[in-house]
Amino acid sequence: MSADEAITKVPARPRRHSRLRRKAVRSALPWVVIIAIFVLWEIVVRAFDIEQFVLPAPTAIFASGWEWRAEMLDNAWQTLMTTVVGFSFAVIFGLIGGVLFGSSTLVYDGFYPALVGFNSIPKAAIIPILVIWFGSGTVPAVVTAFLISFFPILVNVAAGIATVEPELKDVLRALGAKQWQIVQKVGLPRSMPYFFASLKVAITFAFVGSIVAETMAANKGIGNLMLVASSRFEVPLAFAGLMVTSIMGIGMYLVADFIERRTTGWATRGVDAARAPRA
Amino acid sequence: MAGLVAGMMVEGRCNLIRPSMNFVELNRVSVRYGEDGDGTLALEGATLTVAPGEFVAVVGPSGCGKSTLMKVVTGLWPPTAGTVTVDGREVAGPLSIVGMAFQNPTLLPWRKALDNVMLPLEIVQPHCARLRGERRAYVEKARDLLALVGLKGFEERFPWELSGGMQQRASLCRALIHDPSLLMLDEPFAALDMFTREELWVALQDVWLARRPTVILVTHDLREAVFLADRVLVMSARPGRIVAEQAINLERPRRLDATYEPHSVAIMHKLREHIGATRSGDL
């Protein structure tokens, strides 16, 4: 008994230690990579003596960002708000549309081609029209963020609902379940992993939408700030705007990722086991 | 064959006197898949009757339309010709008095075992309306049912945390939770190893003896059919018809080793011959 314990315990302890160490290394790795990129960038800029209006060094970018921090924060807030509002509309309409498209072949057959056609229009091309309709400012940015991020959500939710296993549907139909009950009990929960996967793509798209709109027709927001900065040849400030955007993007991505892991853990943990008996 | 025809005639006469005699009745049911009438003919003139509380097994060569038979009886698929009557009413759409279990457990992966078992209660009336007020009683019932099939202590596990046999047990519980008067089992044990299968046969027999639902079990395991059923129906190769039937008059509760006794073996041999005949006839 004690011999057994000794045998099982001795190799287990160092393994746990190394696993902890590996975990620490894994969580530190992204930071190491980011810092390495900045260091390399700095070295390249200094070594080749690159002009600041071509490619500013990271130190110059940080300095400029810090110098204009009040404006930066103000404009970043504006961009974040327009993006989040547009994105929220995209989530609501994407979910509703996805449920409709996924659960009704009639809706799918009728509307899908039109939707694909609409989606293939570059959203930047619509912005001038939005400006005519709404004037320049916040509204075109919100609408562009919505338009650009709505489609991937709809397609993914629809795919999740449309690909429910027929046997799963039969279980419910044999109980006399109505179509909406099947969607509620099976279709929606099953499409949640697809939904969250699409959110991660869509939130990045939403930032693209709002910033492009701000660059073209706004007097506020990170996009506008970058436009003004580059027209004044304050290239480090434009780069600082890019960095703030990317930080906001990462932040929103992490939020989506957090919600995903809290709500659809069954999908990532259960994939193998759920498929095993079917194989 | 002659026995079947005689049996049918007797049943037919009974119907005239007491129409509630049969719980399930298929009268010359044909099913053709495909919309314009030139698709696969899966069933042709299938006629069978099942008495209330009877346990009937349907065996046949693979692809003979057994699963189609299940779909027709539960109203999931409309017959192309003929009539299906369940509980005295002609089947026109999905029935809510049916519990179904398939070869795959088809549990919902985002629900724990207990919640999976309780799924039918959220859909079938009158349970659906009562569920909110009497949730505790229903949870108790689901737990009892899980305990009956040997899943005590696994109520809060997700399907992927259960073995294939355990998932299938939970699936059986789900088929039984709303006290269906008709239990349709479509090869529910086919994907399991023999020992698990035998355990579940015993569990199913216990449940059936305790509640006496009408059961139609589709299987290709003759031992399973002989162990569980009161009557075994043999289907021909596609298009499926009922070509023979065999009563199993073994005492209940049956023991597993009873399936190896000469009487049972003789029955299995006979069933085997019937199936063999349908297959060679097909060729």
Side-chain angles (χ1 to χ4, degrees):
Chain A
M1 185 67 190
S2 64
D4 275 2
E5 253 173 67
I7 289 166
T8 52
K9 266 190 181 172
V10 167
R13 208 173 284 162
R15 196 183 300 153
R16 193 166 3 134
H17 266 273
S18 73
R19 195 175 299 161
L20 271 176
R21 201 181 308 145
R22 204 184 309 152
K23 209 176 167 190
V25 168
R26 278 184 60 182
S27 56
L29 212 53
W31 299 104
V32 174
V33 169
I34 289 169
I35 292 168
I37 289 172
F38 282 136
V39 170
L40 196 71
W41 181 350
E42 186 82 34
I43 290 170
V44 167
V45 169
R46 286 182 188 222
F48 295 94
D49 210 12
I50 298 173
E51 290 289 349
Q52 204 177 61
F53 63 82
V54 177
L55 182 68
T59 44
I61 295 171
F62 292 137
S64 163
W66 182 250
E67 190 190 337
W68 296 95
R69 60 188 175 276
E71 288 76 5
M72 195 59 94
L73 218 64
D74 193 29
N75 285 298
W77 181 249
Q78 166 77 12
T79 301
L80 189 64
M81 279 303 102
T82 54
T83 307
V84 166
V85 171
F87 178 68
S88 305
F89 278 113
V91 168
I92 294 165
F93 286 98
L95 258 178
I96 295 171
V99 168
L100 288 176
F101 276 73
S103 52
S104 161
T105 43
L106 220 61
V107 173
Y108 186 92
D109 290 344
F111 287 85
Y112 199 69
L115 196 68
V116 170
F118 177 74
N119 188 57
S120 61
I121 300 170
K123 298 301 169 297
I126 304 178
I127 296 168
I129 298 167
L130 293 176
V131 173
I132 295 172
W133 288 347
F134 303 109
S136 71
T138 310
V139 179
V142 169
V143 174
T144 317
F146 162 73
L147 287 177
I148 207 167
S149 59
F150 149 83
F151 193 69
I153 298 176
L154 182 146
V155 170
N156 273 280
V157 173
I161 291 179
T163 55
V164 168
E165 292 83 349
E167 283 192 331
L168 233 47
K169 264 191 232 171
D170 277 355
V171 170
L172 273 89
R173 284 181 60 211
L175 295 168
K178 307 272 183 300
Q179 174 73 21
W180 65 266
Q181 281 177 313
I182 296 175
V183 168
Q184 180 203 351
K185 301 285 180 198
V186 183
L188 265 180
R190 211 199 98 103
S191 69
M192 279 304 109
Y194 296 78
F195 172 64
F196 282 109
S198 75
L199 285 197
K200 293 179 186 172
V201 180
I203 186 65
T204 332
F205 280 6
F207 272 110
V208 173
S210 57
I211 287 176
V212 167
E214 282 165 2
T215 326
M216 290 174 72
N219 39 29
K220 222 178 166 196
I222 288 284
N224 181 251
L225 179 132
M226 279 156 55
L227 187 75
V228 174
S230 51
S231 68
R232 289 198 210 146
F233 282 98
E234 293 197 36
V235 182
L237 186 59
F239 271 85
L242 281 182
M243 262 179 211
V244 168
T245 311
S246 120
I247 288 166
M248 289 193 293
I250 293 171
M252 293 302 289
Y253 182 96
L254 288 179
V255 169
D257 190 58
F258 176 75
I259 300 172
E260 174 181 17
R261 259 184 286 159
R262 290 297 294 270
T263 53
T264 61
W266 60 268
T268 43
R269 271 184 294 167
V271 153
D272 296 339
R275 294 228 172 112
R278 215 172 293 145
Chain B
M1 255 320 236
L4 171 71
V5 173
M8 269 168 49
M9 286 174 70
V10 170
E11 296 283 8
R13 215 184 304 140
C14 283
N15 276 346
L16 291 177
I17 304 158
R18 282 164 59 192
S20 62
M21 210 24 215
N22 293 319
F23 193 72
V24 178
E25 210 176 305
L26 266 70
N27 193 8
R28 305 184 150 277
V29 169
S30 300
V31 173
R32 190 186 282 280
Y33 288 113
E35 277 165 21
D36 29 4
D38 55 356
T40 320
L41 191 61
L43 280 182
E44 191 181 37
T47 298
L48 69 92
T49 55
V50 183
E54 193 183 13
F55 198 130
V56 167
V58 180
V59 297
S62 67
C64 69
K66 287 174 290 191
S67 296
T68 305
L69 187 75
M70 303 299 270
K71 287 193 174 174
V72 167
V73 172
T74 51
L76 289 176
W77 196 273
T80 317
T83 53
V84 181
T85 317
V86 174
D87 201 12
R89 257 172 297 168
E90 197 174 324
V91 175
L95 302 164
S96 58
I97 54 159
V98 184
M100 276 187 110
F102 303 88
Q103 184 174 343
N104 298 332
T106 58
L107 298 176
L108 305 180
W110 52 87
R111 282 173 172 242
K112 291 173 179 169
L114 186 70
D115 297 325
N116 259 300
V117 171
M118 298 197 42
L119 176 71
L121 301 176
E122 296 166 22
I123 291 159
V124 176
Q125 294 295 0
H127 308 290
C128 185
R130 287 187 205 149
L131 186 60
R132 189 163 290 194
E134 297 165 37
R135 186 158 189 101
R136 186 167 296 201
Y138 277 114
V139 168
E140 201 54 41
K141 190 178 169 189
R143 284 179 181 277
D144 288 347
L145 204 52
L146 282 165
L148 187 62
V149 298
L151 279 182
K152 197 173 175 61
F154 291 93
E155 295 91 347
E156 301 301 318
R157 301 287 184 89
F158 283 99
W160 76 82
E161 297 172 307
L162 304 174
S163 70
M166 288 171 160
Q167 290 184 28
Q168 199 54 265
R169 284 164 212 247
S171 165
L172 268 184
C173 290
R174 184 180 59 186
L176 287 161
I177 186 73
H178 54 297
D179 293 320
S181 37
L182 177 60
L183 191 57
M184 303 292 287
L185 307 174
D186 191 352
E187 303 188 16
F189 312 126
L192 304 174
D193 63 279
M194 196 172 86
F195 300 109
T196 313
R197 209 183 298 171
E198 288 184 342
E199 262 177 54
L200 286 185
W201 292 351
V202 175
L204 177 59
Q205 177 176 252
D206 289 347
V207 171
W208 181 73
L209 286 174
R211 304 172 169 229
R212 290 283 173 160
T214 308
V215 184
I216 298 181
L217 167 74
V218 163
T219 180
H220 49 229
D221 184 338
L222 295 180
R223 257 187 85 217
E224 183 172 304
V226 169
F227 177 76
L228 285 167
D230 295 323
R231 201 149 54 93
V232 181
L233 305 176
V234 179
M235 273 181 95
S236 68
R238 200 166 54 213
R241 278 186 321 278
I242 309 293
V243 291
E245 76 167 78
Q246 172 73 50
I248 316 280
N249 298 313
L250 294 173
E251 247 177 73
R252 305 250 187 201
R254 293 174 186 167
R255 288 173 308 114
L256 282 170
D257 38 352
T259 56
Y260 292 115
E261 279 165 15
H263 177 64
S264 309
V265 174
I267 293 174
M268 277 183 254
H269 269 296
K270 221 150 114 196
L271 290 171
R272 215 188 163 80
E273 270 167 35
H274 283 303
I275 294 172
T278 69
R279 292 183 63 166
S280 58
D282 186 45
L283 289 170

